[in-house]
């Protein structure tokens, strides 16, 4: 990797100050994407602002209607949380199958959604559950947060501080992993709750996570796998690569969605 | 001692070192004053080098030197040599274009080395490498067999017309034509044997060192055969006399063939160490491994089998195209010829066989031997074709095999494709495997799976391979530029412990255990008294290394021969000490004993007398107790067996799960059954990998799309079933231990069983064959395309 300055602030305010003062600095949460990128010399930040020293950014809380997960909470912590398992079991189960054990112990929810890798799992949960993304300056609705592949509504000096998930009545996530990388080649998160019926597809879309409105409408009328039988998925806007054509991905969206609905019960 | 000797499942003594991080791999070696090399590689599959500007890199901080191809040419260095010459049908030699260590004039594949930057640290070398500016004129690329053979296709090497390396054949064309003329039915199959990228756990690495005081060079390298590297690099590339060049291959973390060959980086660091008078180290990054380690397989074949009215095979006709890549790797030419076409009889009595093989240069990484090397290609082709023949005849897949097996009474059996099999019992391995896999109960399992919405299939392969390569004179007559004997030196130390120096090399096979068991058994001493030394040309006699499952069959045989010499000499020493005739001395349980008496001398007493020869027959015998034996095998060995695979396919996604895998192999005498089981399981894992997961993909411009673990699917634990391994052995008749070899059988026998199972699962979808890998995407396409038709029916 190239040389860079390293900062490990202990507060969000300090982190934001550092970030605002250096447009070429990069924020690091778990580093699960950033460190490999640095090692391959694909990024050349002037400085790394490591958020792992900010204790305020770690933790899970559950209120009557919502689960709030602070940004630096690891996937392993979410997967192991008895409170999350009770309130939104689909979310804990999803976290339990991100990457491998090493990734789950380093990777964080804030890092995952701020990076918005199109094959990441968390964006599916955030969008399907109609979560609210808390930052150091504002609250952003999930529908407004993801703006494209590796792109979000975050301003350059804005940090995710927490994600607030309304507790759904039913939810489940099923993914088809890429055979090689094991990232989601197609992942479908379905939820029925305060925000209505929502279906989010990750892994498949060339622009990152998206809502499948045709499926939402069908499931709103009839919450069952059969309701999706005749609901197609347009190939336009999907990824195609050596592992899966657009056509196959579109097909898998349907299969994963049906399985997710069945799993949600 | 029996529990440690031949047949004992002794735990691998090297494992504690490996799993506790105490191995000594090439990258662990750091020499005083060491510099670091970074190789600049071509980003293009085919391009002319118009110029290289290294001025900025040379001036960068910490940089000691930057070298390009012209610098090596100026030192009159040779290119990387090819160790096997195959001849064309007309007897003319194959095309053997130059293979410069660093590209000169042109680059021919993505990853082709262009320049090397040598600096104080790896970071400095990398920084400087970015400052080297290479001016390329990009040329159209031919990365695949198809592209390279189109009329008017761009030439990889200007002097090689049509990109054809050789056009070779084997067998009796007229006899085969006659067989087809009288055939009742013909089974025909076109297939691809997919290109693989080896991916040993340890990436390649090399440290070159030059001692200006003595003029001696040392190369530490990740090699399966250090003496071969010393010979090839010293004699052909760098022109360093062998006595001034030492090659050390320390602990090596896997090879699978990919570390047999002499690679450019070895020559670069050794030569550069002499130029800059400091040690130079290079360690591959995984990305470099993908684009510079020799790849495997990559065949396209058309095969036809003529049968009589009972389904007996009358004649086999095979036409194969084999991708050589951009240059000839060390042993590449022999893989699709003498390690492939010679195996096309398989375990069957096919009386007439004719094979034609066209080897083709392409703008891709060189292809060479990879676990099995030619034999997996042969067994995949033949076993898939036999399944097609069964379909064609309406015969059961097991029945058609039984009808065509070489009977166990027929050995030694001369095939029509040069090999003479010494022993085997194909019915025994078949029956044992059918039983272990409960073949008879399969249809009930298929029906049960159907209730769960799964398509279940079963596949079988009854394969043979030839390993323990091989009589030197024979391989020499076939074009090998090397001998293929093996050597062992056994040194009984004065106090009776034993050090064995072997020319074979262990890079995961457990030789330090197996060979110690063998020696413990021969001498009747505990394994703890035996040390196995390998991998250093300064220590061991000139040996040929490890590949082709040869270490025990050839190297172990050399050990037995050396042990016999030690025991013969020991008897004469003991006879003197015991005042008896040497003819009356028996060696048993570590003691030289006068037959029929209790008078005896232990091995340690004899060895002490040999090194402290005070009371010693000095007029007749030299002091010391150390013997060397070179063993040249009389024939290949012929392991074989039966593999049965059972799969379930999810018709909604195309995902295949291997739910059962049984292997019953004849590997000859087993020294350590636990190690044999592990070797076979590992081979099967790679075979399942080839059949279901792995494939190398180049785009039309020759860019490697499967260039990392993100896109190249290696098998993982959860892709694999619990692989059941059994043996049903016959002894090899021509080596002293009766051993055959087990390193490659798993990778050779398994792919056709897996694909056979997948095809069987999809038999209602009009499928006769599926090329590897049978990925979910590929299977879903087949299922999806045939679903409407099925619904209509």
């Amino acid at each position: 990797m190239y040389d860079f300055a390293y900062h490990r602030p202990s507060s969000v305010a300090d982190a934001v100050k550092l970030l605002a003062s250096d447009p070429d600095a990069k924020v690091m949460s778990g580093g699960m994407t950033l460190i490999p990128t640095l090692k391959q010399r694909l990024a050349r930040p002037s400085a790394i602002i490591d958020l792992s020293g900010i204790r305020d950014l770690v933790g899970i809380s559950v209120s009557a209607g919502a689960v709030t997960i602070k940004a630096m909470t690891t996937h392993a912590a979410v997967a192991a949380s008895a409170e999350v398992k009770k309130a939104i079991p689909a979310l804990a189960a999803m976290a339990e199958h991100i990457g491998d054990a090493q990734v789950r112990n380093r990777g964080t929810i804030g890092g995952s959604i701020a990076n918005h890798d199109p094959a990441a799992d968390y964006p599916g949960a955030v969008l399907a559950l109609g979560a609210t993304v808390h930052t150091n300056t504002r609250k952003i609705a999930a529908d407004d947060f993801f703006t494209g592949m590796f792109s979000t509504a975050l301003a350059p000096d804005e940090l995710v501080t927490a994600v607030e998930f309304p507790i759904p009545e039913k939810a489940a996530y099923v993914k088809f992993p890429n055979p090689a990388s094991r990232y989601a080649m197609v992942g479908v998160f379905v939820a029925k709750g305060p925000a209505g019926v929502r279906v989010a597809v990750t892994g498949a879309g060339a622009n990152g996570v998206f809502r499948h409105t045709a499926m939402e409408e069908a499931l709103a009328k009839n919450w069952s796998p059969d309701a999706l039988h005749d609901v197609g998925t347009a190939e336009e806007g999907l990824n195609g690569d050596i592992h899966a054509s657009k056509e196959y991905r579109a097909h898998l969206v349907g299969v994963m969605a049906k399985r997710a609905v069945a799993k949600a019960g | 001692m029996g529990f440690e000797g031949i047949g004992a499942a002794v735990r691998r003594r090297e494992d504690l070192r490996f799993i506790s991080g105490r191995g000594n791999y090439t990258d662990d070696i750091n020499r005083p004053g060491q510099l670091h090399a970074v190789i600049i590689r071509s980003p293009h599959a085919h391009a002319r080098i118009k110029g290289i500007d290294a001025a900025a890199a040379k001036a960068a901080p910490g940089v000691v030197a930057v070298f390009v191809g012209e610098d090596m040419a100026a030192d009159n260095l040779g290119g990387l040599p090819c160790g096997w010459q195959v001849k064309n049908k007309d007897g003319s030699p194959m095309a053997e274009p130059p293979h410069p260590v660093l590209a000169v004039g042109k680059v021919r594949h993505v990853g082709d080395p262009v320049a090397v930057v040598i600096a104080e640290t790896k970071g400095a070398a990398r920084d400087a490498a970015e400052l080297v500016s290479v001016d390329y004129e990009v040329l159209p690329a031919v990365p695949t067999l198809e592209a390279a053979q189109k009329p008017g296709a761009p030439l990889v090497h200007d002097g090689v017309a049509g990109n054809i390396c050789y056009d070779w054949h084997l067998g009796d064309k007229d006899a085969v034509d006659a067989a087809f003329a009288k055939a009742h039915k013909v089974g025909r199959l076109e297939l691809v044997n997919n290109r693989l990228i080896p991916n040993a756990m340890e990436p390649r690495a090399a440290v070159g060192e030059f001692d200006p005081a003595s003029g001696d060079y040392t190369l530490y390298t990740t090699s399966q055969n250090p003496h071969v590297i010393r010979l090839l690099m010293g004699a052909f590339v760098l022109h360093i006399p062998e006595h001034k060049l030492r090659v050390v291959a320390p602990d090596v973390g896997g090879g699978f063939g990919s570390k047999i060959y002499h690679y450019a980086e070895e020559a670069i660091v050794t030569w550069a160490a002499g130029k800059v008078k400091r040690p130079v180290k290079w360690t591959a990054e995984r990305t470099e491994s993908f684009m510079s380690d020799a790849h495997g397989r990559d065949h396209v074949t058309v095969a036809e089998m003529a049968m009589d009215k009972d389904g007996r095979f009358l004649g086999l006709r095979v036409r194969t195209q084999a991708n050589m890549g951009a240059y000839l790797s060390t042993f590449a030419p022999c893989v699709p010829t003498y390690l492939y076409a010679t195996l096309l009889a398989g375990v069957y009595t096919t009386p007439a066989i004719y094979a034609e093989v066209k080897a083709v240069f392409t703008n891709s990484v060189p292809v060479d031997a990879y676990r099995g090397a030619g034999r997996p290609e042969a067994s995949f082709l033949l076993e898939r074709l036999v399944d097609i023949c069964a379909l064609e005849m309406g015969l059961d897949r097991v029945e058609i095999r039984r009808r065509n097996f070489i009977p166990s009474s027929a050995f030694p059996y001369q095939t029509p494709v040069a090999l003479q099999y010494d022993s085997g019992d194909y019915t025994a391995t078949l029956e044992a495997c059918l039983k272990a896999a409960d073949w008879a109960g399969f249809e009930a399992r298929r029906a049960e799976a159907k209730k769960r919405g799964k398509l279940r299939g079963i596949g079988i392969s009854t394969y043979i391979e030839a390993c323990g390569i091989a009589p030197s004179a024979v391989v020499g007559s076939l074009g090998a530029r090397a001998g293929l004997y093996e050597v062992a030196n056994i040194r009984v130390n004065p106090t009776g412990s034993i050090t064995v120096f072997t020319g074979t090399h262990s890079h995961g096979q457990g030789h330090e255990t197996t060979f110690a068991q063998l020696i413990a058994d021969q001498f009747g001493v505990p394994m703890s008294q035996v040390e196995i030394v390998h991998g250093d040309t300064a220590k061991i006699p000139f040996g040929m290394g490890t590949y082709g499952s040869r270490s025990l069959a050839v190297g172990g045989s050399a050990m037995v021969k050396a042990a016999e010499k030690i025991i013969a000499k020991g008897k004469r020493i003991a006879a003197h000490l015991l005042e008896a005739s040497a003819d009356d001395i028996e060696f048993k349980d570590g003691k030289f004993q006068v037959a029929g008496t209790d008078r005896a001398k232990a091995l340690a007493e004899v060895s002490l007398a040999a090194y402290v020869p005070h009371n010693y027959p000095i007029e007749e015998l030299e002091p010391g107790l150390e013997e060397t034996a070179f063993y040249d095998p009389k024939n290949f060995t012929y392991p074989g067996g039966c593999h049965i695979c059972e799969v379930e396919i999810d018709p909604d996604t195309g995902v295949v799960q291997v739910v059962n895998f049984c292997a019953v192999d004849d590997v000859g005498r087993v020294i350590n059954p636990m190690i044999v089981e592990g070797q076979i399981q590992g081979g099967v894992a790679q075979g399942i990998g080839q059949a279901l997961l792995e494939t190398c993909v180049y785009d039309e411009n020759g860019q490697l799309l499967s260039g990392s673990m993100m896109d190249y699917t290696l098998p993982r634990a959860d892709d694999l079933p619990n692989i059941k391994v059994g043996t049903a052995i016959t002894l090899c008749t021509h080596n002293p231990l009766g051993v055959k070899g087990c390193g490659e059988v798993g990778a050779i026998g398994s792919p056709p069983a897996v694909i056979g199972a997948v095809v069987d699962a999809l038999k209602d979808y009009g499928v006769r064959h599926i090329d590897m890998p049978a990925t979910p995407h590929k299977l879903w396409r087949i299922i999806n395309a045939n679903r409407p038709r099925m619904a209509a029916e």
Side-chain angles (χ1 to χ4, degrees):
Chain A
M1 54 182 78
Y2 299 108
D3 288 348
F4 52 80
Y6 175 76
H7 305 289
R8 193 164 179 260
S10 53
S11 72
V12 171
D14 287 349
V16 170
K17 203 182 291 172
L18 285 163
L19 195 52
S21 70
D22 183 353
D24 295 324
K26 269 272 186 194
V27 173
M28 182 168 84
S29 41
M32 295 296 89
T33 299
L34 181 60
I35 289 178
T37 308
L38 293 173
K39 284 167 78 175
Q40 292 178 72
R41 296 187 160 216
L42 295 172
R44 192 169 199 164
S46 54
I48 296 291
I49 301 165
D50 180 355
L51 303 183
S52 66
I54 307 175
R55 285 192 194 154
D56 283 355
L57 285 182
V58 179
I60 297 166
S61 59
V62 178
S63 67
V67 172
T68 302
I69 301 173
K70 290 186 175 175
M72 288 296 287
T73 308
T74 63
H75 311 322
V78 173
S81 163
E83 290 173 300
V84 178
K85 281 185 195 170
K86 193 167 169 233
I88 316 178
L91 189 61
M94 185 219 73
E96 197 175 359
H97 290 96
I98 297 174
D100 51 32
Q102 290 89 335
V103 166
R104 290 192 290 274
N105 279 300
R106 293 289 311 173
T108 67
I109 184 171
S112 175
I113 67 165
N115 188 48
H116 191 201
D117 187 311
D121 296 302
Y122 257 124
V126 169
L127 194 57
L129 291 168
T132 303
V133 178
H134 296 211
T135 77
N136 54 311
T137 56
R138 57 181 170 150
K139 292 180 182 179
I140 308 172
D143 285 324
D144 302 325
F145 184 79
F146 300 106
T147 54
M149 180 165 64
F150 295 111
S151 159
T152 66
L154 290 170
D157 58 351
E158 188 174 13
L159 291 179
V160 174
T161 55
V163 183
E164 182 186 343
F165 295 94
I167 296 172
E169 182 190 327
K170 292 176 176 184
Y173 177 64
V174 176
K175 69 175 161 182
F176 189 102
N178 177 307
S181 71
R182 302 280 171 107
Y183 273 90
M185 199 159 83
V186 170
V188 179
F189 205 115
V190 298
K192 182 181 186 184
V197 169
R198 293 169 67 102
V199 176
V201 179
T202 189
N207 292 316
V209 69
F210 65 89
R211 281 176 66 184
H212 201 307
T213 47
M215 285 186 178
E216 290 177 355
E217 283 161 21
L219 290 171
K221 287 181 204 146
N222 173 16
W223 179 265
S224 85
D226 290 344
L228 300 177
H229 198 68
D230 296 319
V231 181
T233 300
E235 289 174 33
E236 199 187 330
L238 299 188
N239 278 319
D241 54 35
I242 61 171
H243 301 287
S245 63
K246 293 179 180 198
E247 182 194 17
Y248 183 44
R249 273 194 171 82
H251 166 76
L252 287 177
V253 169
V255 178
M256 296 302 115
K258 280 184 220 164
R259 289 180 183 181
V261 173
K263 194 174 167 186
Chain B
M1 239 62 74
F3 69 99
E4 283 185 349
I6 290 175
V10 178
R11 280 200 184 182
R12 293 181 11 143
R13 59 194 336 196
E14 47 270 79
D15 283 354
L16 183 62
R17 169 167 110 245
F18 294 152
I19 64 177
S20 60
R22 292 184 177 87
N24 184 36
Y25 296 90
T26 300
D27 191 57
D28 294 324
I29 291 167
N30 292 298
R31 305 298 299 161
Q34 172 180 287
L35 300 168
H36 296 266
V38 164
I39 312 280
I40 295 168
R41 298 178 183 277
S42 171
H44 306 294
H46 198 194
R48 211 172 295 289
I49 302 172
K50 292 164 72 183
I52 301 175
D53 182 356
K58 284 179 180 170
V63 172
V64 173
V66 179
F67 296 116
V68 298
E70 275 78 8
D71 296 317
M72 299 195 96
D75 273 9
N76 287 316
L77 304 183
L80 299 173
C82 179
W84 200 299
Q85 186 189 64
V86 166
K87 295 201 165 123
N88 290 304
K89 287 174 180 168
D90 65 6
S92 60
M94 67 186 187
E96 202 171 344
H99 185 180
V101 175
L102 287 171
V104 175
K106 241 171 103 167
V107 288
R108 294 181 175 85
H109 67 88
V110 169
D112 206 356
V114 172
V116 58
V117 177
I118 296 163
E120 297 288 345
T121 64
K122 192 157 190 177
R126 278 186 173 183
D127 286 344
E130 293 179 7
L131 302 174
V132 176
S133 161
V134 185
D135 186 8
Y136 292 106
E137 177 194 343
V138 177
L139 302 170
V142 286
T144 60
L145 283 165
E146 191 188 0
Q149 293 181 89
K150 278 188 182 151
L155 296 182
V156 179
H157 297 274
D158 292 341
V160 181
N163 294 314
I164 301 300
C165 175
Y166 55 75
D167 184 4
W168 172 91
H169 66 163
L170 179 71
D172 188 335
K173 183 173 187 299
D174 294 341
V176 169
D177 288 345
F180 275 85
K182 66 176 180 187
H184 170 70
K185 277 195 172 166
V186 171
R188 187 176 193 280
L189 179 63
E190 288 185 43
L191 57 72
V192 173
N193 202 290
N194 46 326
R195 184 180 182 117
L196 303 177
I197 305 178
N199 275 299
M201 194 181 290
E202 178 205 22
R204 287 190 300 114
V207 184
E209 188 168 9
F210 174 67
D211 180 354
S214 64
D216 290 347
Y217 286 87
T218 303
L219 168 67
Y220 302 89
T221 182
T222 49
S223 176
Q224 301 178 210
N225 30 242
H227 268 115
V228 174
I229 302 305
R230 190 183 72 171
L231 176 62
L232 293 176
M233 184 176 81
F236 296 96
V237 185
L238 301 184
H239 310 311
I240 301 168
E242 286 175 81
H243 66 293
K244 304 303 279 181
L245 174 59
R246 174 186 174 199
V247 177
V248 183
D251 284 332
V252 173
F256 313 115
S258 72
K259 292 172 181 166
I260 297 172
Y261 324 115
H262 176 38
Y263 284 99
E265 296 84 359
E266 294 169 324
I268 291 169
V269 297
T270 309
W271 171 74
K275 296 295 273 188
V276 303
K277 307 281 190 288
R278 288 172 69 180
V280 177
K281 179 189 224 170
W282 168 81
T283 302
E285 300 191 358
R286 184 62 62 178
T287 313
E288 282 186 286
S289 303
F290 272 90
M291 61 171 85
S292 70
D293 293 5
H295 291 179
R297 320 277 193 257
D298 204 345
H299 287 193
V300 175
T301 296
V302 179
E304 294 169 290
M305 184 76 87
M307 293 175 282
D308 72 8
K309 61 180 178 23
D310 299 318
R312 290 205 167 75
F313 303 153
L314 301 174
L316 171 62
R317 185 187 280 150
V318 172
R319 265 184 297 132
T320 292
Q321 303 162 39
N323 193 337
M324 293 283 103
Y327 304 98
L328 289 177
S329 177
T330 311
F331 291 110
C334 78
V335 176
T337 51
Y338 296 106
L339 296 180
Y340 166 71
T342 52
L343 265 296
L344 289 171
V347 293
Y348 311 112
T349 54
T350 317
I353 298 174
Y354 179 64
E356 295 171 283
V357 179
K358 206 179 266 189
V360 180
F361 288 111
T362 62
N363 292 117
S364 64
V365 172
V367 178
D368 208 324
Y370 170 65
R371 202 171 193 170
R375 292 150 287 160
E377 294 91 318
S379 78
F380 185 69
L381 175 156
L382 192 57
E383 291 303 295
R384 290 298 309 131
L385 183 60
V386 169
D387 278 7
I388 296 287
C389 287
L391 273 179
E392 212 56 63
M393 293 296 300
L395 275 174
D396 176 77
R397 287 173 288 169
V398 175
E399 177 56 25
I400 197 167
R401 286 173 164 83
R402 282 200 182 105
R403 282 188 195 183
N404 286 285
F405 273 168
I406 297 163
S408 54
S409 58
F411 295 99
Y413 179 81
Q414 179 63 50
T415 74
V417 273
L419 299 178
Q420 190 185 75
Y421 303 162
D422 64 328
S423 65
D425 186 341
Y426 310 131
T427 305
T429 44
L430 171 72
E431 297 301 338
C433 200
L434 290 173
K435 197 171 166 215
D438 185 24
W439 180 276
F442 172 73
E443 288 305 330
R445 296 194 291 281
R446 194 202 296 267
E448 184 276 330
K450 197 174 177 183
K451 284 186 199 153
R452 288 183 282 113
K454 294 287 172 68
L455 304 168
R456 192 163 173 132
I458 193 164
I460 186 167
S461 112
T462 49
Y463 73 96
I464 192 168
E465 67 132 326
C467 63
I469 185 170
S472 293
V474 172
V475 295
S477 73
L478 303 179
R481 290 162 169 161
L484 284 166
Y485 66 84
E486 198 40 83
V487 62
N489 170 275
I490 299 181
R491 183 183 295 165
V492 182
N493 298 307
T495 57
S497 67
I498 300 170
T499 309
V500 181
F501 300 86
T502 173
T504 66
H505 185 275
S506 188
H507 31 280
Q509 295 89 341
H511 291 178
E512 291 169 41
T513 304
T514 301
F515 285 150
Q517 283 181 261
L518 172 58
I519 294 295
D521 198 276
Q522 296 285 309
F523 288 103
V525 298
M527 271 178 76
S528 61
Q529 291 293 297
V530 183
E531 185 75 8
I532 306 297
V533 178
H534 64 90
D536 185 345
T537 62
K539 293 179 181 169
I540 59 173
F542 194 107
M544 297 307 295
T546 286
Y547 37 82
S549 307
R550 68 190 299 274
S551 299
L552 186 59
V554 192
S557 296
M559 284 179 199
V560 172
K561 296 290 179 190
E564 285 170 357
K565 290 187 189 179
I566 295 267
I567 290 165
K569 185 173 181 181
K571 282 182 178 174
R572 294 178 67 187
I573 299 169
H576 177 88
L577 297 175
L578 294 164
E579 297 178 338
S581 161
D583 294 341
D584 293 335
I585 304 290
E586 291 174 341
F587 183 69
K588 212 179 149 207
D589 298 333
K591 280 188 190 137
F592 294 92
Q593 190 155 3
V594 182
T597 75
D598 58 358
R599 291 163 56 220
K601 290 284 175 189
L603 178 64
E605 294 175 281
V606 168
S607 63
L608 191 63
Y611 289 99
V612 188
H614 295 163
N615 174 20
Y616 193 82
I618 202 83
E619 298 297 325
E620 304 155 32
L621 271 184
E622 293 172 8
L625 198 53
E626 173 169 344
E627 297 288 348
T628 300
F630 288 79
Y631 177 82
D632 203 80
K634 295 180 185 71
N635 191 351
F636 289 85
T637 61
Y638 300 98
C642 179
H643 289 191
I644 294 174
C645 177
E646 225 166 301
V647 301
E648 282 187 6
I649 300 173
D650 174 353
D652 291 335
T653 60
V655 169
V656 182
Q657 195 187 354
V658 180
V659 291
N660 196 7
F661 197 101
C662 290
V664 177
D665 299 295
D666 175 2
V667 297
R669 190 186 304 285
V670 171
I671 307 292
N672 184 322
M674 185 193 69
I675 288 179
V676 168
E677 187 178 2
Q679 284 288 312
I680 293 171
Q681 288 182 334
V684 169
Q686 283 178 309
I688 291 174
Q690 171 165 26
L692 298 179
L693 305 164
E694 300 181 47
T695 201
C696 171
V697 184
Y698 281 101
D699 73 7
E700 69 275 15
N701 299 316
Q703 290 296 327
L704 182 57
L705 298 184
S706 56
S708 79
M709 300 287 187
M710 294 292 280
D711 286 305
Y712 187 83
T713 314
L714 284 177
R716 302 182 204 200
D718 67 349
D719 293 314
L720 303 170
N722 185 14
I723 299 159
K724 295 183 204 118
V725 174
T727 50
I729 69 158
T730 61
L731 295 180
C732 171
T733 61
H734 58 78
N735 65 39
L737 291 164
V739 296
K740 295 186 177 180
C742 67
E744 296 161 294
V745 294
I748 293 168
S750 58
V754 178
I755 293 298
V758 172
V759 170
D760 182 50
L762 298 177
K763 65 178 185 157
D764 295 337
Y765 290 75
V767 175
R768 285 163 63 92
H769 174 70
I770 291 168
D771 278 325
M772 302 185 288
T775 59
H777 189 186
K778 192 182 280 178
L779 298 185
W780 173 76
R781 273 198 305 243
I782 291 166
I783 293 165
N784 194 43
N786 291 287
R787 194 172 265 140
R789 191 168 63 88
M790 289 193 63
E793 285 165 5

